[in-house]
Amino acid sequence: MNYTTGEPIRDTKAPDGPIEERWDQRRFSAKLVNPANKRKLTVIVVGTGLAGGSAAATLGELGYKVKSFCYQDSPRRAHSIAAQGGINAAKNYRGDGDSIHRLFYDTVKGGDFRARESNVYRLAQVSVNIIDQAVAQGVPFAREYGGLLDTRSFGGAQVSRTFYARGQTGQQLLLGAYQALERQIAAGTVEMHTRHEMLDLVVSGGRARGVIVRDLVSGEIETHLADAVVLATGGYGNVFFLSTNAKGCNTTAIWRAHRRGAYFGNPCYTQIHPTCIPVSGEYQSKLTLMSESLRNDGRVWVPVTAGDSRAPGDIPEAERDYYLERIYPAFGNLVPRDIASRAAKNVCDEGRGVGPGGLGVYLDFADAIARLGKDAVEKKYGNLFEMYERITGEDPYTRPMRIYPAVHYTMGGLWVDYDLQSTIPGLFVIGEANFSDHGANRLGASALMQGLADGYFVLPTTIGDYLAGGSFGEVAQEDVDEAIGQVTGKIGRLLSVGGTRTADSYHRELGKLMWDHCGMERTEEGLRKALDRIPELREEFWNNVKVPGEEEGLNQALERAGRVADFFDLAELMCLDALHRTESCGGHFRAESQTEEGEALRDDENFAYVAAWEHDPGGEPVLHKEELRYEYVKMTQRSYK
């Protein structure tokens, strides 16, 4: 697969001037929509996680007519509910030196200097408002003995800025957003459509004007039109088949928007989470995340000697290698996720891994229990320990957990400007579905921060600036008919193949191919192998996939097949993006580009840009480069030592 290079792309919405004043400047310059006119404007929001739920609720509260869509049977089932560890905010309740600027700096550095300064600084500014919003909604954050909100440390920071609700932070925050959403549904400002999956974007007159969805119960294809469309459909980590994502998580909404003209930013930037329960067999369909918060008190180690098969309790202290503490003494077990993941892979590659197949390292709480007492540890992490014991049959209070890296989050996504608007006017993309805030690696506890920042505070301002330019006229019927034809044609093609292999079997094979060649470590040779094999496997899929059932009615095999088809196309672009970026940065580790100590080696002279990919229906992908400039943070080789 080849590509061509197009004109550079630039974010024209980010203001100039002092960085701490840019968001205020943009908010003031944004056009307003008066309350009477808001009632005449319709906004579609696809996805009901933290970003989509908070956005729909806030837009409804502002007076817009909102249509909200999710493929689950309830907004509560959005994957945000699975987030465990916490949410970052620069409130400095601990008095340990935190500030908005320090959160900004840690995030830019944690992303290996591949994120926009303006976006990241705004995120740090807005973070302080998120906590107040959540507390006002009744989110039960952990509190200290005196009643103040408690915080804990997370990877990539030396301050305690992460607010949490035991190991259920995502659940509690999502329930807060869900309550706000349900309030607007009851008030009639939000129209909720559950069990509906977006299958295409309606573009008319060069603007996003609606969506084509399938009712997953009846099978009916529906058209919904609006003045603007917001995608909040999460990430695409399930392209790897095995990941920490819910099985339903997919790329279909953003990928089909990409094919309609929305540029895709940095698709190769995927995050491998270091703290997951290791794979236990070929039968698995997903992996389980153990919160990064566990690295606050758990110590990561492996035996010093390769092939040491003794039980962990039988290995004396002198024969243990606490390798993160040894290699990175300043941050220890709290190094960023990409660094911790690669370090775990390295010790396992040396033959010092533990558990079946040697694909695991220990996360040991013995010191924490001795220091704090079992009751204190249970109050912090009890539900996580219980989950681990139920899955593995091992008691983490008496035996160290076994963990290994797994695919978790995607930093890539649809390209958006400072206003969170894609290259298609009227199409806004928020949360993990866009590329904007995390660079090449996301720090832990920043996903919830970005989702709620976008939904509660950023989008409601910036989308108003766009909608103030309306009305946008009638949607051309031929544009609607063309989109419907694309959807029904693809469904008909899938049902007509009548092959012998399930979509899941192809998905599993694609996922292994991606993990082997575009996972924790990438090489030119491996990426070229993947780029040779993916088109072959995709052709096999379209000639031999078996999709039983009919178009009408409930057909989950059809749902999965459509998503897998999109994963094939996305996987090819991911590998192409990884191949063209011959540097290492954050979660994108090219074996050919590393320091003598095995750390990621960036090439700032040639790759300090966002790769924004345009779909060319009749030819090769087109690469547009957005230059990244740093005024407030100096680009240096990352060091956590």
Side-chain angles (χ1 to χ4, degrees):
M1 187 181 190
N2 298 314
Y3 69 93
T4 59
T5 302
E7 292 296 316
I9 190 170
R10 192 166 68 88
D11 176 14
T12 60
K13 299 292 180 61
D16 296 321
I19 196 167
E20 62 273 7
E21 298 175 9
R22 291 178 186 174
W23 177 228
D24 286 339
Q25 183 181 333
R26 181 66 188 118
R27 286 193 296 174
F28 181 74
S29 66
K31 300 185 187 76
L32 301 177
V33 182
N34 79 56
N37 287 339
K38 286 176 182 173
R39 293 191 290 271
K40 303 173 185 176
L41 295 167
T42 301
V43 180
I44 286 172
V45 181
V46 185
T48 58
L50 286 179
S54 60
T58 306
L59 293 172
E61 182 76 40
L62 288 172
Y64 295 105
K65 292 188 292 183
V66 180
K67 290 186 175 183
S68 177
F69 295 85
C70 68
Y71 63 74
Q72 299 93 342
D73 59 2
S74 165
R76 291 191 310 276
R77 295 191 183 276
H79 189 55
S80 298
I81 207 158
Q84 298 168 344
I87 178 170
N88 288 331
K91 295 184 84 71
N92 195 31
Y93 284 171
R94 287 284 184 94
D96 55 1
D98 200 12
S99 65
I100 288 172
H101 191 86
R102 189 175 295 278
L103 174 53
F104 157 69
Y105 173 81
D106 287 346
T107 304
V108 172
K109 177 184 175 184
D112 215 356
F113 305 94
R114 290 293 178 262
R116 292 179 184 148
E117 281 191 330
S118 293
N119 286 67
V120 177
Y121 197 91
R122 175 177 66 186
L123 180 63
Q125 284 178 298
V126 170
S127 72
V128 300
N129 304 119
I130 297 171
I131 304 304
D132 297 335
Q133 172 91 359
V135 169
Q137 291 174 334
V139 173
F141 285 122
R143 294 181 180 268
E144 296 176 329
Y145 178 76
L148 299 177
L149 295 182
D150 196 11
T151 55
R152 57 190 177 198
S153 300
F154 249 67
Q158 292 177 307
V159 295
S160 295
R161 64 164 66 101
T162 304
F163 295 78
Y164 65 98
R166 296 186 76 189
Q168 306 169 349
T169 314
Q171 177 182 358
Q172 300 303 329
L173 288 170
L174 183 63
L175 291 175
Y178 169 71
Q179 289 172 160
L181 177 62
E182 286 296 315
R183 180 174 179 269
Q184 295 308 311
I185 293 171
T189 63
V190 176
E191 182 182 289
M192 188 71 232
H193 298 267
T194 60
R195 301 302 300 272
H196 282 70
E197 182 171 25
M198 174 184 159
L199 295 181
D200 211 341
L201 180 73
V202 176
V203 179
S204 185
R207 300 176 184 272
R209 295 301 307 273
V211 294
I212 308 299
V213 299
R214 180 173 182 268
D215 183 324
L216 298 181
V217 176
S218 70
E220 182 180 354
I221 303 299
E222 302 174 2
T223 302
H224 295 266
L225 303 179
D227 297 286
V229 177
V230 180
L231 299 186
T233 52
Y236 49 89
N238 271 351
V239 69
F240 292 89
F241 188 77
L242 286 178
S243 82
T244 66
N245 290 267
K247 284 300 294 177
C249 294
N250 63 83
T251 190
T252 290
I254 60 173
W255 185 253
R256 298 193 183 180
H258 169 61
R259 295 181 69 89
R260 289 288 177 188
Y263 291 4
F264 208 116
N266 299 330
C268 78
Y269 287 169
T270 53
Q271 180 168 83
I272 314 296
H273 197 294
T275 317
C276 302
I277 297 178
V279 177
S280 58
E282 286 293 322
Y283 58 86
Q284 278 187 269
S285 61
K286 76 176 300 294
L287 298 174
T288 303
L289 173 70
M290 299 307 297
S291 170
E292 183 175 314
S293 64
L294 295 170
R295 291 199 280 149
N296 271 288
D297 291 305
R299 299 181 69 192
V300 180
W301 65 275
V302 292
V304 169
T305 306
D308 190 336
S309 59
R310 289 177 291 176
D314 295 335
I315 301 176
E317 195 74 13
E319 296 178 38
R320 301 180 178 187
D321 179 13
Y322 295 90
Y323 58 90
L324 291 178
E325 299 171 35
R326 172 175 57 80
I327 303 171
Y328 308 101
F331 281 72
N333 296 300
L334 291 175
V335 293
R337 291 174 174 177
D338 59 317
I339 291 175
S341 293
R342 283 198 299 275
K345 179 182 184 298
N346 290 340
V347 296
C348 290
D349 288 348
E350 293 168 4
R352 297 194 287 144
V354 301
L359 293 178
V361 299
Y362 287 129
L363 183 61
D364 195 339
F365 288 86
D367 286 358
I369 292 171
R371 184 179 75 253
L372 303 171
K374 181 180 177 182
D375 288 347
V377 171
E378 187 174 7
K379 286 178 181 177
K380 283 185 175 183
Y381 311 115
N383 63 307
L384 296 171
F385 279 41
E386 180 184 356
M387 182 171 68
Y388 180 87
E389 184 172 11
R390 287 187 178 186
I391 292 171
T392 66
E394 299 175 1
D395 179 5
Y397 291 104
T398 60
R399 183 185 179 93
M401 289 183 179
R402 288 179 295 107
I403 57 170
Y404 192 70
V407 173
H408 179 55
Y409 187 91
T410 51
M411 286 75 65
L414 292 186
W415 186 94
V416 293
D417 61 18
Y418 189 70
D419 283 0
L420 305 181
Q421 186 171 206
S422 74
T423 49
I424 301 175
L427 177 66
F428 293 78
V429 191
I430 60 177
E432 192 180 355
N434 74 34
F435 87 101
S436 65
D437 291 1
H438 305 297
N441 174 64
R442 177 177 67 78
L443 293 184
S446 288
L448 308 188
M449 175 174 62
Q450 185 208 351
L452 292 180
D454 287 356
Y456 281 136
F457 300 107
V458 179
L459 178 77
T461 296
T462 60
I463 200 172
D465 181 76
Y466 172 78
L467 291 170
S471 65
F472 303 113
E474 295 294 319
V475 179
Q477 187 59 44
E478 58 264 29
D479 295 325
V480 174
D481 293 343
E482 191 274 335
I484 293 174
Q486 289 287 336
V487 169
T488 56
K490 191 162 192 173
I491 289 173
R493 187 180 173 193
L494 286 167
L495 289 168
S496 67
V497 175
T500 61
R501 283 186 63 180
T502 66
D504 274 358
S505 73
Y506 282 107
H507 191 185
R508 186 183 291 274
E509 187 172 347
L510 173 67
K512 187 176 188 309
L513 186 70
M514 291 296 289
W515 177 251
D516 289 344
H517 300 304
C518 198
M520 264 195 286
E521 182 174 297
R522 294 101 185 257
T523 65
E524 179 177 352
E525 180 186 9
L527 289 166
R528 291 193 183 279
K529 284 182 180 177
L531 285 168
D532 286 340
R533 178 57 182 148
I534 290 170
E536 296 174 350
L537 191 60
R538 177 173 53 209
E539 186 175 358
E540 292 175 29
F541 170 86
W542 281 109
N543 285 289
N544 193 37
V545 69
K546 181 177 179 61
V547 184
E550 305 293 334
E551 179 178 347
E552 295 77 21
L554 180 67
N555 189 341
Q556 291 184 308
L558 177 61
E559 296 171 32
R560 288 195 292 270
R563 296 165 189 167
V564 173
D566 292 328
F567 277 138
F568 273 115
D569 296 339
L570 170 65
E572 194 170 24
L573 186 62
M574 289 172 65
C575 291
L576 181 64
D577 188 37
L579 179 64
H580 107 276
R581 189 173 286 274
T582 56
E583 65 165 355
S584 291
C585 56
H588 168 64
F589 189 78
R590 284 289 295 266
E592 304 93 339
S593 182
Q594 55 184 301
T595 67
E596 292 181 359
E597 297 175 325
E599 304 292 350
L601 180 62
R602 294 196 322 271
D603 180 355
D604 295 332
E605 182 177 348
N606 294 303
F607 291 100
Y609 61 76
V610 175
W613 294 91
E614 176 187 4
H615 173 70
D616 181 354
E620 299 167 342
V622 182
L623 171 62
H624 301 271
K625 300 176 182 179
E626 180 198 340
E627 182 184 355
L628 292 170
R629 297 178 180 176
Y630 292 90
E631 302 174 64
Y632 294 87
V633 178
K634 182 181 178 182
M635 286 197 289
T636 58
Q637 177 66 32
R638 276 196 310 174
S639 175
Y640 291 92
K641 297 182 178 181

